[in-house]
Amino acid sequence: MLSRVANNLIWLDRYMERGNGILSLLKVNFYANQDAPELFSWSPIIKNYAGDDDEHCTENALECINFMVFNTNNSNSILNIVTKARENARSVQEHISRELWLCVNNYYLFLTNKNLPKKLKEEDPIVFLDNLQAFHLRYYGLMDVTQERGASYYFMNVGKYLERVIQITDFTAMKLMEIAKTSDTLERSIYWKNLLLSIGGYQLYLKKYKSSFEENHVITMVFQDTLFPRSIYYCINKLNRHISLLIETNELEKNNIDFLLGKLESTIKYTTIESINEQGLDVFIKEIKEAIKNISLNINTVYFSNVN
């Protein structure tokens, strides 16, 4: 497969995964902000995804959602993300199913409808965000049932799981900044609950632990659970699997990639909660981010050095 094609496939899924994560974050924060605006500010989300954009650091929920969905100057707005996903999908149409292309293209056409911003002001914001997220969920379903298994599918999954690890660590880091500001047990518990809601782990946590939101349990589930599809361990395991399949099919050279992934997978799996607490969760997250950065750079060096 041409390196440019593989690169576009990876970024197609990275953008779709990023958009889904941002929409989940906006929905959960909207609910939480309505109940406790003093605890759940909009500024951490704006700063994380738009940098030091003081102009849009407002606590007006609709203005923040509008900025994160429609603002073309925000590189991580949903509109910009979907536009980039569509560009990547269009350039690799012969490598993805027709259904996937139509899904991304229809999403783009939906977002660029001139009347859509008015609906945000007129409708329930949660209904509005749900309608957007439905495109991402449809994309995941179509990818699973219509995309042939092979190099294209493997590269797309590499993009998806790379982005998912980055998002989960980012979401957790944002919550840690808020948790550090309070010593109140109830407030800290609410922040952990909010994190689980943002990554779709709330119900599983209740089924598994049947208790209040204890920090150690949350950390274990978010980072080490083997069955939760948005745990760091699960994502690294899947990433390792798809990289291995690409190596087996001679789409990637066998070099440091599989070693780095195997090392990271083992580190996450066998690091105890006591060890995480001793070094600090923030340090543990930084180590994971650095490892993912090295893995990503390794893939780019081996496969995409000729991409321009």
Side-chain angles (χ1 to χ4, degrees):
M1 180 178 288
L2 294 173
S3 57
R4 183 173 284 104
V5 172
N7 190 51
N8 289 337
L9 289 166
I10 286 177
W11 277 101
L12 165 60
D13 262 58
R14 285 198 66 169
Y15 285 129
M16 291 302 288
E17 179 68 24
R18 187 179 304 175
N20 183 60
I22 290 173
L23 288 170
S24 293
L25 193 63
L26 293 175
K27 282 170 54 180
V28 172
N29 203 71
F30 180 82
Y31 273 128
N33 180 264
Q34 298 300 300
D35 293 333
E38 72 282 359
L39 296 181
F40 296 99
S41 166
W42 287 99
S43 57
I45 296 176
I46 301 298
K47 288 179 180 179
N48 191 71
Y49 288 103
D52 297 323
D53 192 331
D54 296 331
E55 180 184 348
H56 294 94
C57 278
T58 171
E59 289 306 313
N60 182 296
L62 288 183
E63 288 182 11
C64 288
I65 293 173
N66 185 281
F67 174 72
M68 288 302 303
V69 173
F70 295 113
N71 193 291
T72 55
N73 293 321
N74 174 12
S75 61
N76 282 310
S77 70
I78 300 299
L79 177 57
N80 277 337
I81 285 171
V82 173
T83 299
K84 293 171 187 174
R86 179 177 179 265
E87 290 170 357
N88 281 282
R90 183 172 55 185
S91 67
V92 293
Q93 281 189 60
E94 66 273 25
H95 296 275
I96 62 175
S97 68
R98 180 173 180 271
E99 291 84 356
L100 274 182
W101 159 247
L102 289 175
C103 177
V104 177
N105 191 51
N106 288 338
Y107 190 9
Y108 170 79
L109 295 175
F110 181 80
L111 273 172
T112 52
N113 186 313
K114 293 181 180 179
N115 295 320
L116 188 60
K118 295 179 182 178
K119 291 188 176 182
L120 175 57
K121 299 178 181 178
E122 297 168 356
E123 295 181 355
D124 179 348
I126 296 299
V127 173
F128 176 85
L129 293 171
D130 276 338
N131 288 336
L132 297 186
Q133 197 167 29
F135 283 97
H136 293 269
L137 300 178
R138 191 175 303 133
Y139 177 87
Y140 292 142
L142 289 171
M143 180 179 171
D144 186 54
V145 300
T146 68
Q147 182 65 37
E148 63 182 82
R149 271 45 176 175
S152 297
Y153 181 78
Y154 304 149
F155 276 118
M156 291 162 76
N157 274 283
V158 167
K160 177 171 71 177
Y161 289 112
L162 267 176
E163 188 66 31
R164 191 172 292 182
V165 170
I166 293 168
Q167 284 219 331
I168 295 168
T169 52
D170 281 348
F171 286 8
T172 308
M174 279 194 284
K175 288 302 162 205
L176 283 177
M177 290 176 65
E178 294 169 336
I179 288 169
K181 297 175 184 177
T182 179
S183 58
D184 185 274
T185 303
L186 178 59
E187 288 184 3
R188 294 170 70 93
S189 177
I190 293 172
Y191 283 131
W192 287 120
K193 175 185 176 182
N194 185 268
L195 172 63
L196 291 171
L197 287 167
S198 299
I199 62 174
Y202 176 70
Q203 275 192 311
L204 179 60
Y205 181 92
L206 294 181
K207 289 178 183 178
K208 192 163 187 176
Y209 294 104
K210 298 180 176 64
S211 66
S212 59
F213 297 94
E214 296 181 19
E215 187 169 311
N216 286 353
H217 289 166
V218 175
I219 293 172
T220 299
M221 181 174 152
V222 172
F223 286 85
Q224 297 178 311
D225 196 285
T226 58
L227 300 178
F228 176 41
R230 291 187 179 275
S231 78
I232 297 293
Y233 176 78
Y234 183 95
C235 294
I236 296 298
N237 179 266
K238 287 292 185 180
L239 185 57
N240 199 0
R241 170 174 167 72
H242 286 97
I243 289 291
S244 296
L245 288 168
L246 286 167
I247 292 173
E248 288 174 16
T249 54
N250 297 317
E251 290 291 344
L252 281 177
E253 294 179 14
K254 184 178 176 64
N255 65 350
N256 282 338
I257 301 173
D258 52 340
F259 170 76
L260 293 172
L261 275 168
K263 181 181 178 182
L264 179 57
E265 186 177 343
S266 295
T267 297
I268 294 170
K269 183 176 182 179
Y270 295 111
T271 300
T272 64
I273 189 64
E274 291 78 15
S275 177
I276 293 173
N277 288 333
E278 184 178 344
Q279 66 178 304
L281 181 56
D282 56 335
V283 175
F284 189 55
I285 290 173
K286 287 179 182 177
E287 289 178 354
I288 293 172
K289 281 189 171 186
E290 188 62 32
I292 286 294
K293 182 180 178 181
N294 289 337
I295 290 166
S296 182
L297 288 172
N298 204 284
I299 294 172
N300 289 336
T301 300
V302 171
Y303 203 89
F304 305 128
S305 57
N306 296 321
V307 174
N308 52 41

